[in-house]
Amino acid sequence: MAMNDTRTWLIAYDIASPKRLGRVHRYVKSVAAPAQYSLYVATETTRGIETIRDELATRIDPREDDVRIYCLPKRTRIIHYGRRSLPEGLLLVQANPHEAAWRILNAG
């Protein structure tokens, strides 16, 4: 994958300490969109996701915490059941189905 190729990534975490959880949560929500509790979606280049990975590594204890970053295929189909995954009035949309770029739009 080229360093400037933009892809969609899932970031998931399970943090043992409430103090570290707060640090990780604040950071991840600043760089990615929430999908569920402790699960976020980021649209980033390889270089961008490496920066996020490195920043997360400074905020966790690798003996107790678990952080995972998954690269989604370019043509990912998302099926949703149950409660809304984003707050009321926000939509996660893909501008072009042939690209990995996602945007959060205000539906109101």
Side-chain angles (χ1 to χ4, degrees), residues 54-90:
D54 294 346
E55 286 293 324
L56 285 168
T58 69
R59 289 167 167 79
I60 70 163
D61 180 342
R63 297 167 298 181
E64 297 183 7
D65 303 330
D66 183 20
V67 175
R68 298 175 186 214
I69 301 174
Y70 301 98
C71 183
L72 296 179
K74 285 195 177 206
R75 294 183 183 212
T76 301
R77 187 174 132 195
I78 296 174
I79 299 171
H80 175 266
Y81 295 104
R83 293 183 333 127
R84 296 182 61 84
S85 58
L86 291 173
E88 189 68 37
L90 294 180

Side-chain angles (χ1 to χ4, degrees), residues 11-14 21 25 33-40 83-85:
I11 303 170
Y13 57 82
D14 185 12
L21 175 61
H25 174 73
Q36 290 183 335
Y37 296 115
S38 303
L39 181 65
Y40 289 77
R83 293 183 333 127
R84 296 182 61 84
S85 58

Side-chain angles (χ1 to χ4, degrees), residues 2-4 44-52:
M3 293 300 277
N4 61 352
E44 288 289 338
T45 62
T46 300
R47 192 168 282 136
I49 205 69
E50 287 174 353
T51 299
I52 291 170

Side-chain angles (χ1 to χ4, degrees), residues 8-9 28-36 39-43 78 84-96 100-108:
T8 301
W9 305 81
V28 173
K29 75 178 186 178
S30 76
V31 296
Q36 290 183 335
L39 181 65
Y40 289 77
V41 177
T43 302
I78 296 174
R84 296 182 61 84
S85 58
L86 291 173
E88 189 68 37
L90 294 180
L91 300 172
L92 184 64
V93 298
Q94 190 173 20
N96 180 337
W102 292 82
R103 298 187 191 285
I104 295 179
L105 298 179
N106 189 335

